[in-house]
Every structure is written in C-alpha cells, then in structure tokens.
Amino acid sequence: MAIAELTLYQQAILLLAGLIALTSFLMLGQSRLVRLVSIFALQGCLLAAATALAATVLDYPHLYVSAALSFLLKGAVIPILLQRLIHRMGLHRVMDTIDHPARVMMAGSALVVFSYYVSLPVVRHSTLVTLNAIAVSLAVVLLGMLLMITRRQAVAHVVGFMSIENGLFFAAVVATYGMPMVVELGVAFDVLVAAVVFGVFFFQIRSSIDSLNVDQLSKLSEADQ
Amino acid sequence: MAWLLAILETLLFVGAAPLLAGWIKRVKCRLQNRKAPSVFQPYRDLLKLYRKQPIAPHPASWIFRAAPYIVFASTVLAAAIVPLVAVDLPTSRIADIIVLVGFFALGRTFQVLAGMDIGTAFGGMGSSREMTISSLAEPAMLMAVFTLTMSAHTTNLSQAMNYVLDTGLVLRPSFVFALGGLILVAIAETGRIPVDNPATHLELTMIHEAMILEYSGRWLALIEWASQIKLMLYGVLIANIFFPWGIAQDFSLTTLGYGMAMIALKLAVLALVLALSEALFAKMRIFRVQEYLGFAYLLSVLGMLSHIILETAR
Amino acid sequence: MIAVYLLLGIPLAGMTLLALRGDSPEAGLLNSRLNGLALLASVWLAIDVLINGPELSSGRLLYIDSYNVYLIALTAFVGLTTSIFSGPYMAHEREIGRVTARRLRLYYAMYQGFMLAMYLVLTTNNMGVMWVAMEGATLATVLLVSLYRTPESVEAAWKYFILCGVGIAQALFGTVLLYFAAEQKLGVGGEALLWTVLHENAHALDPAILSLAFVFLLVGYGTKIGLVPLHQWLPDAHSEGPTPMSAILSGLLLNDALYAVVRCKMLVDGSLGTHLAGNLMMGFGLLSFVVAALFLHRQTDIKRLFSYSSIEHMGLMTFAFGVGSPWATFAALFHMTTHSLTKSAIFITVGHAAQLAGTQRMDRIRGLILTQPTIGWGLLIGTVAIAGFPPFGVFASEFLVLVATMDDYPWLTPLLLLGIGLAFAGLFRHIQPMVYGDVPEGQKAIKANLTPVMVHLALVLWLGLSIPTFLGNWFNQATQLISGSMPQ
C-alpha cells in the first residue's frame, strides 16, 4: 500500500526503518570508535522503538517483551560493555581511518539497491503492511558486513557483527511478527554470550600481537612464508 | 486581482528579508550574551550604503558594474515564484523547482565572474571556493527536490505544496531525509556557519565575502540585500514544502492574514534553529566541506531510496 | 521420551560440574563417564525409535526420527572415545605447562557444553532453536581454539568466530524467511517453525520465498560445514586447537551442520518442483571436493592437511545429498558415519605424532614407525582408510556415491574420480616420509593411549566389509525419509 494510506503508527514504523538504515550509513563513515559504539546504541534504541510500535500496530503483545529485551541488550548492555572495553584498552583516542570513504558510501548505496531487488519477490506476496521494510533489514545486514570489510580495528568488526544481528532482528519484526519467544530468548542469549566472548578475545588479541589492528593477524595463510 | 496579490507578495518578500536578517542577528547576540542591535538595523545599513558613492576599480569591466543588478534581479524573480503566503497565485505557473535552481545559478554565475573580474587574489579565491561548493551542493539539492517530486508527481512548487496539504499529516521517511539534505544544502548555499562565516573579517577564511570585497555604495547594498533575500528564500522553501499548513489556498483576507502570520512564525522558528546551530558548531575547514556536502547528498539519496523501497505500493 | 531429556540433561549437568571441578585429576575420567552415560541414553533412545517409530516430545519441541537418531548415537560414540583419549592427553598438556588450571576447567566445561549443543541441534524440532544451538556450538568451542594462547591460535579463533558468526547470521535470515513463508499459510505462532509441521505443509509454501530462504540457509550452514569458498576458518580452527577439539570439530560439528542443511533441503524439495536445492548442493559440494583435493598438496602442517581432507569429504557428502537419489542418500549417510569415525581416529593419532615429534610441521616429523610403531601404523592405516582404499568403509561409501552419480549424472563421474585421485596422491605424498623416513635425533616414544583409534578403525573396517543389518535398516529408513524411497 502507498504510504499515504497507512495509519500513523505504520508510517512511523517505516520512518524508523529509514532512520535505522541511516544509522548504518553513519556507522560506515564514522572513524572514531567511541562514536561508532554510540551510533550502534542509537540503532538499538530505534530498533526497540520500531518493535514496540509494531506491537501496537499488529496487536501482538509479546513483541513488547522483545522490544524491552532488544533495548536492554542492544541499546544498553552491549554498548556499555564495548565502551568500557574501549576505554580500558585506550582505544578512545585512536582513529580507525577509512581508506576511501566516498567509495564505501557508494558501495553502501549499491547494497541498498541490491537488497531491494532481492526482496521484491518476498514483498509481492504479502499481506503485511510493514513488509516493505524487509528490504531495509537486508540492507542493514549487508551494510554491517560492509562495515566489517572496510575496517581494521577489531572493535569495529564486533560492532559490524552486532549490527548484522540488529538487521536480522528487524527482519524478524517486520516480516514475521517477531519470532517465537523461545527462539528470541535463545538468540538474545547467544548475542550476549558472543559479546562477552568478544570482550575476552580483545585481551587475547592484544596480548598476542600488541595491538587491535586485525590486519596484523595474518600468520596463518596458504602462501609460502 | 490575483496579479496584484502576486506583486504585493513579492514586495513583501523582498521587503521582509532584511527584517529576517535582523532577527537572526538578534537571536545570535542573545545566545552569545551580547546586547543586540535593533531588528531594523539592516534597513538602516542598506540605506546608508545606498547613499554612498560606488567606486569601481580601474580594471573593472561591464560585468563588475552589471553584476549587482543581475544578482538582485534574479533573486527577486526567484522570490516572486516561491509561494510565501498563498499558493495558486498566477506566478505559480512558472514556479518550477528547476527554474528556481536556474535562477540561483544565474545569480551565482555573475557573482563569481564579478569576483574574478578585477583580478585580485581574494576575489579569485572566493569565486573558486564558491563554485566548488555549489558544484557539490547542487546535486544534493536537486536530489532532495527529486525526492519530493516523486511523491508529489510534479516539479511545480505550488502544486507540490497543494499535494502535501491535501494528503494531510503523513510521516514519510523520504521527506525526513530530504528535509535533512535540504537544510544542509541551504546552510552551504547561503554561506552560514559551519560552511562560511558571514561576519568574518579574515579574508583567507571567506567564501562569499571574498567575492564582494571590492564592492561599495549602492552595488554593495544590492548584493547584501540579494543575499538576505536568498536566505529568506531557502527558509521559506523549507518551511512551506515540508510544513505547509497555514498557507492560504484561497484569496480571502482572513486566510491571507493567517498565512502571513504562519509564515512569520515558521521563519522565526527556523531563524532560532539557525542561530542555535551557528552558536553550537564551529566553522569547518574548507577541505571538510566536501564531506559535509557528501553527507547531504547521501541523505538525499537515502530519501529517494526510501521513497522507492518504503513508500510506493507494489 | 525420557531418554531424550536424559540425553540433554547429562551434558548440562556435566557442564556445571566440570566448570567447578575441571582442574582436579579425575576431571578427565569424569568427562569420559558423563559421555558414556550420554551414549547409553542415546542407545536407549535409538532402540526406542527403531521399534516405535518417530517420536515427538510434549510441546513438540523435540523430534526424533530415524535420520537424527543414528546421528545422535554416532555423536555420543565419537564424543565418548575422544574423551577417553582426551583425559590423559590434557593431563599431559597440563604437566608440560601448555594449559593452566583455569583453562583446563574451561576446556572440560566447554566440552560438555559443545556436546549439549550438538545434541540440541540434532533433537530439536524447532528450526529457530536449531539455529540457536548451532551458534551455541560455535560459542562453546571458540575459546577452546585459542586455548594455547599462541598468536596463531588467537588468530585462528578470531577467524573462526567472525567467519562462522557472519555465516550463521545468514542462516538466521534464511530461518526468518522460512518462518515468513510458513506464517503466510499457517498463521502466527510457534507452530510455523516446527519442522514436522513445515514438512507436512511443504507443498503449500511459496516456492519463490523458499528458494531464497534455502540459498541463505545453505550459505549460512554451509559455512559451518566448510564448503568452499566459505571454508577459510576450517583449516585454522582445526589445526590450532588442542587435538581432542580438532577431533570432535571434524568428526561432529561438520556432520551436524550438514544435517541441518539436509533438513532444510527436505522442506524445500517438498515445496519446489525443481531440483534447485539439490543442484546448489551439488555445485558447492563438487567445488569443495576438487578445491580441497588440490589444496592438500600445498600443506606444510599435518593438522591442516587433514582439515582439508575433512573439507573434501564434507564436499563429497554434500554432493551426494544433492544428487538426492536413494542410493546417493544411502551412500551419503554411510559416508557420514565412516568419515566421522576415521577422521576422529586420525586426529587422535596425529595429535600423538605431533607430541612425539614436538612439532606440527610435516617436514620435521619423520620415522614414526620406527620410534613408536603403534602411532606409525595408526597414521598409515588411518590415511589409507580416509583416502578411500578398500576394504575400509570409506571406500565402500565413495564407491556407492560414484555408482549413484553414474546413474544420474554420468558426466560428473570423471570429476569425482579426479578429486579422489588427487586427494589420494596428496595425502600419501605427505604421509610416506613422515611414517617411513629416517628418525631424527632424540625422538623418543611417548605414553599414548591409542585404544580409541584402534576401535574406530576396526569399526570402519567392519563397516567396509559388511554393513550389519540393524545399521543397514537404520540407513534404509533414513534414506526413505530423506529421498522418498528406499534404495533397491
């Protein structure tokens, strides 16, 4: 349905979808790690807001629980964990320079167009009004992967990984009224454990190569040494 | 009768521009804890300049003498077509957004040529910087505008405003992004902080001011007035395209009066936002302006993409 | 159904127990005993299902049919034998100071945690929970790969985590799409993610969405199987971790990921009329098979050599499942068993060989058969088995795959033969000097418990000579389930 025919709540969900895509782009261009994590926290909050709105629109109360869970986990706990790690490792003054920001942004736009193309068949057959946003969720997943590819700092990789999970969660919200509760709890648990394990990893990496520049982790390869 | 209204509206536009400039200055001074000059001070400044004798340097050609008039004329023409108080005026038939961009380009071309005309270093520097910024800002502005026209299915300004009024309050992601992009472009084109400091006296940091360094007398008055009208133009564009409620759709006195009051209110709020951002942000170094305009372009492109992805029916 | 709850409860309890007591001397024994109990539970379950048919737990969260029950038994068995090996091995590592007490506790706790995740993947009926358990298995083992804290192992663990994490995120997207397709027809609620329900209604699901979902699921779970070009993490992770970990990763995790893909393929085949899922699997499988066989020749590290061999065999299995005919499916199931047993045996032997020679580099390991004949013979026979020599089981299953391919896709058989030949050459080229070369100075025999190896190899030999009837029936039932008819 064209946007003018939707209710205000449904329009708000689509607006939040657009803003979530914007935060993904902002993360692509952000070279300071502290600000990167803050934008990621913002993305988590927007996601929680979108989920809560979806709960109102689709009249599916268990989505309120999902919204609270994702706000807690992705808007609060994981960003705070990462910020603490960044400060403990002294990375808050490091600039993770991006090589060609213009090219990265153009690649990002190309990915958005690609994900729109891929999700066309999915959207055609649907009765859900908010399903247009599934292209945005796939775009967020792909932009998270682009973020991981274009960065050298390990913390940026973790943020990219978490933003991929954000995109997937958003896909679940707009396409399928959220996943069954047991699955959502499992996924949230996995994400939390993953964040903790990442934290442990940073210390291991740092003590082994004395920096968190992951480009230097390249001893194991097929090329003759 | 409608034509009379159109002429009156244009005169109002042109006449109120220095008032807006004075109001912005007042708010800025208040924010910086200074005592502000009167809101009508810009009028007095323009009058003072008009009474002085203009001096042209030796190597100046006809471009130097003609440029202020061309710049002022194109800006007044642009002001004539942008709906200020009422839509559906007779001038609205040529009120096309691309025509508007064309008017701006005309004025800018002559301004830039005039800056280079005398052969001073600062004039050339200002001209080249101005062209760099506009070459980056124009695609962003056009993209933001195209996003709007994709929803409204027309590039005509008053028809677009009518469309937005008719569909009521709709939260469009594409509009939100286009608004962001247009605001960033407006700041760049009108030469405000963080792109250019209008009150600077350091020539090496100037962009717009550097081009008009050699002007004096009534030529300077015309150019200053034109830049004030341009600022008001962008403000009116932003206010009336994205928040058109209150604009008069017929020509009765009450609606017109209401329309005037609403636009005055919207411009006052926009001026507040502008002054706040000028107080909060520092001026960027010139090489950072491309990132800034790239971001504006990104916002506009995102607006267009979100229109196609999120807003159209399948 | 009590057997299932026991099966899941034992590792859960074991995890907490070993997290506290993992550094005591009897930890290894406790680990083995727990795995032994789990094996008993799985055998009970297997007998139950074989007699009574497929079972669904209350709440429909767990579902056991003939396909996963045999995998459960296999998992439990390999887990047990590996833990028997791992007890003294890790004690030795502790003695020479390669692991601290804390890390040993982590190791044992995560061993049980990994087993729990494996059982959960195999027994659950809910596709979402399957994903959660798969990711849980990654999380359980990722810290184990970097257990020795060398720069290479940290790098391997990081690669493992990131690549598998991103890969499996794709699988989650596929699961969401699957759920979406199901919800369109079945309505909202937990039902739409249950495999049993999906399988019944597969014909009603939208083919376009399901094919898109399958692509994502194949890429996602395929990363965990080690399909080329998503295999980059596998050689590193399998070679840098402690040997028992390499054994269970190669032997168990890859199988479970393939199981997940085949479950999805069963759904997609029911919905699409075309052979899309099978073709995709065949393509990826064949690519992995040939590329891995080529890579085998360039290896310098012994564990990486056998990791590439794992990739190659998983590629072959994926290919066979992709072909989809009853004989091919039977062959693939058989191959899963033989490969699992052989590969874990090989990794155990390799671990001992590396301990013996003090290095993992193949150009420095020499003369194993002279220094310690059991290890030398074990390695030789293991390599012979995995390369596909008769009369071992791997030969039988590879032969069956070849026969099945010749039936349906005769033009692909030369490629398969080429791959088998290349792998054979690559393996023997490296193994021969290691086993038969001159003994370097100061190489002494070590204390080694090679019983698990011998048991595994003997089993594989037995399977190669004649498949016992109950196993044959098992495979037949599973084949019927997967491909729709029994092999003639």
Side-chain angles (χ1 to χ4, degrees):
Chain A
M1 302 209 296
I3 194 164
E5 302 156 24
L6 301 175
T7 71
L8 205 62
Y9 281 127
Q10 292 165 338
Q11 290 168 7
I13 295 181
L14 292 179
L15 178 63
L16 283 171
L19 288 175
I20 290 175
L22 178 66
T23 54
S24 267
F25 271 102
L26 288 177
M27 283 199 278
L28 274 180
Q30 191 53 249
S31 52
R32 288 190 190 276
L33 290 172
V34 174
R35 272 192 227 156
L36 186 66
V37 177
S38 311
I39 299 178
F40 169 69
L42 177 65
Q43 192 181 57
C45 296
L46 284 173
L47 195 62
T51 316
L53 266 174
T56 321
V57 167
L58 304 168
D59 199 18
Y60 210 51
H62 106 307
L63 277 180
Y64 284 120
V65 180
S66 303
L69 201 62
S70 77
F71 173 71
L72 211 64
L73 207 58
K74 301 202 183 121
V77 170
I78 292 182
I80 291 179
L81 205 69
L82 284 173
Q83 296 278 23
R84 274 235 201 107
L85 274 169
I86 291 176
H87 280 278
R88 254 170 94 181
M89 305 210 136
L91 293 171
H92 50 286
R93 293 193 195 94
V94 165
M95 291 259 295
D96 186 16
T97 45
I98 308 163
D99 287 335
H100 301 277
R103 278 187 223 172
V104 170
M105 291 296 179
M106 281 199 285
S109 315
L111 283 176
V112 173
V113 175
F114 172 70
S115 51
Y116 166 70
Y117 170 69
V118 163
S119 32
L120 268 178
V122 175
V123 180
R124 275 208 189 105
H125 306 276
S126 138
T127 51
L128 247 70
V129 293
T130 49
L131 194 61
N132 281 344
I134 205 173
V136 170
S137 65
L138 184 57
V140 170
V141 170
L142 293 175
L143 287 171
M145 283 198 248
L146 186 63
L147 180 67
M148 287 175 86
I149 295 173
T150 52
R151 294 311 185 94
R152 290 189 219 114
Q153 283 285 336
V155 180
H157 286 188
V158 174
V159 172
F161 182 75
M162 294 293 170
S163 102
I164 292 178
E165 301 274 342
N166 269 355
L168 292 171
F169 182 77
F170 190 55
V173 166
V174 293
T176 61
Y177 300 101
M179 308 275 271
M181 214 50 218
V182 64
V183 178
E184 291 223 0
L185 284 174
V187 174
F189 177 67
D190 269 343
V191 169
L192 187 60
V193 173
V196 171
V197 172
F198 270 125
V200 172
F201 250 113
F202 289 153
F203 288 105
Q204 287 186 7
I205 294 180
R206 204 164 66 147
S207 59
S208 88
I209 59 170
D210 230 4
S211 93
L212 275 178
N213 186 339
V214 194
D215 264 2
Q216 295 174 13
L217 283 178
S218 52
K219 293 210 177 83
L220 294 170
S221 75
E222 298 302 328
D224 286 325
Q225 265 126 14
Chain B
M1 158 68 176
W3 276 107
L4 184 63
L5 258 169
I7 295 176
L8 276 175
E9 192 197 64
T10 313
L11 285 174
L12 180 64
F13 208 127
V14 168
L19 187 61
L20 181 67
W23 168 245
I24 293 178
K25 189 154 186 86
R26 200 184 183 106
V27 176
K28 237 176 117 173
C29 287
R30 271 309 170 81
L31 283 172
Q32 294 170 348
N33 217 5
R34 293 188 275 142
K35 195 161 154 65
S38 143
V39 234
F40 301 107
Q41 186 60 27
Y43 291 110
R44 294 192 196 118
D45 287 333
L46 286 174
L47 210 56
K48 168 191 86 176
L49 280 171
Y50 208 80
R51 278 199 286 244
K52 295 208 168 176
Q53 181 201 6
I55 302 177
H58 246 341
S61 71
W62 65 271
I63 293 183
F64 187 81
R65 283 170 238 272
Y69 300 104
I70 299 179
V71 167
F72 186 71
S74 65
T75 321
V76 168
L77 264 176
I81 62 174
V82 172
L84 175 72
V85 175
V87 290
D88 293 337
L89 287 174
T91 47
S92 70
R93 263 171 273 149
I94 57 162
D96 195 285
I97 287 184
I98 303 187
V99 170
L100 190 66
V101 172
F103 280 144
F104 286 145
L106 181 67
R108 187 188 310 125
T109 312
F110 275 93
Q111 180 86 295
V112 162
L113 286 174
M116 293 194 292
D117 190 54
I118 337 158
T120 60
F122 290 128
M125 178 191 85
S127 302
S128 78
R129 283 180 179 177
E130 172 77 20
M131 283 317 266
T132 311
I133 291 181
S134 359
S135 68
L136 292 170
E138 221 169 271
M141 177 165 174
L142 280 173
M143 190 59 88
V145 156
F146 286 150
T147 311
L148 305 169
T149 58
M150 281 176 94
S151 293
H153 304 289
T154 168
T155 52
N156 190 302
L157 272 171
S158 61
Q159 281 177 20
M161 288 181 200
N162 268 331
Y163 173 81
V164 177
L165 280 171
D166 288 335
T167 51
L169 178 65
V170 180
L171 281 174
R172 295 171 219 271
S174 62
F175 271 33
V176 172
F177 286 126
L179 176 66
L182 202 56
I183 287 180
L184 292 178
V185 166
I187 292 181
E189 288 273 14
T190 52
R192 313 294 300 187
I193 290 177
V195 175
D196 180 19
N197 187 351
T200 183
H201 56 90
L202 300 165
E203 292 90 344
L204 284 172
T205 65
M206 291 178 182
I207 300 176
H208 182 255
E209 306 294 317
M211 289 188 287
I212 60 176
L213 268 177
E214 299 292 332
Y215 278 110
S216 50
R218 60 174 181 274
W219 295 332
L220 186 57
L222 284 174
I223 292 184
E224 291 268 320
W225 202 353
S227 64
Q228 287 163 355
I229 299 176
K230 198 168 168 187
L231 181 61
M232 185 160 169
L233 259 169
Y234 273 106
V236 169
L237 265 177
I238 290 174
N240 274 346
I241 294 184
F242 294 103
F243 313 103
W245 304 282
I247 204 168
Q249 280 176 302
D250 57 49
F251 297 146
S252 77
L253 221 58
T254 38
T255 51
L256 283 175
Y258 185 60
M260 247 197 306
M262 284 307 286
I263 189 69
L265 185 64
K266 291 179 207 168
L267 282 175
V269 170
L270 274 176
L272 193 64
V273 172
L274 179 66
L276 259 173
S277 77
E278 294 214 331
L280 285 173
F281 295 111
K283 179 169 127 49
M284 289 187 294
R285 295 181 61 183
I286 296 284
F287 70 85
R288 299 270 316 272
V289 175
Q290 49 164 334
E291 282 171 34
Y292 169 87
L293 287 170
F295 180 59
Y297 185 69
L298 174 73
L299 280 178
S300 317
V301 167
L302 268 180
M304 190 191 66
L305 285 175
S306 58
H307 173 81
I308 298 175
I309 297 178
L310 295 173
E311 293 176 14
T312 48
R314 305 296 172 135
Chain C
M1 279 321 268
I2 316 176
V4 178
Y5 297 122
L6 259 181
L7 188 66
L8 292 175
I10 294 174
L12 187 61
M15 201 161 77
T16 30
L17 205 63
L18 283 168
L20 299 168
R21 308 273 299 142
D23 49 357
S24 61
E26 355 42 89
L29 207 55
L30 182 59
N31 193 17
S32 312
R33 291 221 178 100
L34 285 166
N35 284 332
L37 279 174
L39 177 64
L40 286 173
S42 72
V43 168
W44 178 13
L45 185 65
I47 298 174
D48 197 8
V49 167
L50 278 177
I51 299 176
N52 300 333
E55 292 190 3
L56 207 53
S57 75
S58 62
R60 299 204 279 169
L61 198 60
L62 305 171
Y63 174 66
I64 322 286
D65 61 9
S66 51
Y67 180 27
N68 56 11
V69 79
Y70 113 86
L71 274 176
I72 293 173
L74 182 66
T75 307
F77 182 68
V78 174
L80 173 65
T81 49
T82 312
S83 63
I84 293 177
F85 154 70
S86 118
Y89 184 83
M90 291 313 281
H92 174 82
E93 298 285 282
R94 172 89 192 278
E95 265 167 37
I96 62 176
R98 263 178 110 184
V99 285
T100 63
R102 245 180 102 194
R103 285 189 217 156
L104 205 57
R105 283 211 303 267
L106 177 73
Y107 169 80
Y108 279 120
M110 286 300 126
Y111 194 108
Q112 289 299 319
F114 177 75
M115 298 307 289
L116 173 67
M118 290 287 97
Y119 292 138
L120 199 55
V121 168
L122 290 171
T123 55
T124 182
N125 194 14
N126 187 322
M127 300 298 280
V129 175
M130 186 191 285
W131 184 89
V132 171
M134 196 68 89
E135 172 83 354
T138 313
L139 291 173
T141 47
V142 80
L143 280 175
L144 293 186
V145 174
S146 66
L147 200 68
Y148 292 143
R149 294 283 192 279
T150 61
E152 288 86 4
S153 63
V154 171
E155 177 190 334
W158 177 254
K159 257 196 206 172
Y160 177 33
F161 199 0
I162 293 275
L163 286 173
C164 275
V166 173
I168 226 172
Q170 312 299 308
L172 184 58
F173 192 73
T175 315
V176 169
L177 280 177
L178 191 65
Y179 188 36
F180 169 67
E183 260 191 352
Q184 303 271 297
K185 295 295 180 307
L186 302 169
V188 180
E191 270 215 4
L193 263 184
L194 297 178
W195 188 85
T196 40
V197 175
L198 284 169
H199 193 60
E200 271 169 37
N201 298 307
H203 52 276
L205 300 174
D206 186 334
I209 303 180
L210 263 170
S211 41
L212 190 64
F214 184 73
V215 170
F216 276 104
L217 283 165
L218 181 61
V219 167
Y221 289 130
T223 314
K224 292 215 69 74
I225 302 178
L227 295 176
V228 170
L230 310 159
H231 68 288
Q232 312 286 349
W233 59 274
L234 210 156
D236 300 338
H238 286 213
S239 61
E240 293 298 328
T243 311
M245 245 258 324
S246 311
I248 53 176
L249 275 184
S250 259
L252 300 180
L253 185 57
L254 305 180
N255 268 355
D256 281 6
L258 187 58
Y259 161 82
V261 172
V262 173
R263 283 280 189 209
C264 299
K265 173 172 184 283
M266 296 207 288
L267 293 175
V268 173
D269 278 346
S271 157
L272 295 166
T274 66
H275 204 224
L276 173 73
N279 288 342
L280 277 174
M281 283 173 79
M282 275 169 57
F284 271 111
L286 204 53
L287 184 66
S288 314
F289 187 60
V290 175
V291 168
L294 287 170
F295 264 115
L296 274 175
H297 290 260
R298 280 182 59 93
Q299 296 310 311
T300 51
D301 180 305
I302 190 172
K303 277 194 187 169
R304 280 178 83 94
L305 178 77
F306 285 110
S307 314
Y308 274 104
S309 165
S310 289
I311 299 178
E312 181 212 336
H313 283 279
M314 294 314 290
L316 185 66
M317 280 184 246
T318 315
F319 174 79
F321 274 121
V323 169
S325 66
W327 269 119
T329 315
F330 185 91
L333 288 169
F334 190 33
H335 198 84
M336 270 171 120
T337 324
T338 52
H339 173 255
S340 197
L341 291 169
T342 323
K343 199 40 78 62
S344 44
I346 287 185
F347 267 110
I348 294 175
T349 320
V350 162
H352 282 307
Q355 235 178 25
L356 181 66
T359 170
Q360 275 178 217
R361 287 185 61 92
M362 289 193 285
D363 49 9
R364 287 193 227 135
I365 304 179
R366 289 281 181 267
L368 290 171
I369 208 160
L370 295 170
T371 319
Q372 192 161 358
T374 30
I375 294 187
W377 276 110
L379 190 58
L380 191 62
I381 297 180
T383 314
V384 160
I386 201 76
F389 243 66
F392 285 98
V394 179
F395 168 74
S397 48
E398 280 184 356
F399 184 73
L400 280 173
V401 173
L402 275 171
V403 166
T405 321
M406 276 198 279
D407 270 341
D408 292 323
Y409 301 94
W411 48 279
L412 282 177
T413 336
L415 259 174
L416 281 181
L417 285 169
L418 178 72
I420 296 179
L422 275 174
F424 191 84
L427 283 171
F428 270 97
R429 191 182 123 188
H430 291 295
I431 294 295
Q432 210 265 352
M434 282 201 282
V435 175
Y436 284 115
D438 297 320
V439 181
E441 307 259 322
Q443 194 166 282
K444 290 193 295 279
I446 53 167
K447 200 171 75 153
N449 181 9
L450 282 174
T451 344
V453 174
M454 297 198 251
V455 169
H456 279 209
L457 289 174
L459 271 174
V460 174
L461 185 61
W462 180 28
L463 284 172
L465 291 171
S466 80
I467 304 180
T469 355
F470 77 92
L471 203 59
N473 280 337
W474 228 346
F475 287 155
N476 275 337
Q477 280 185 21
T479 310
Q480 168 121 34
L481 184 67
I482 299 176
S483 65
S485 56
M486 298 237 203
Q488 269 75 44

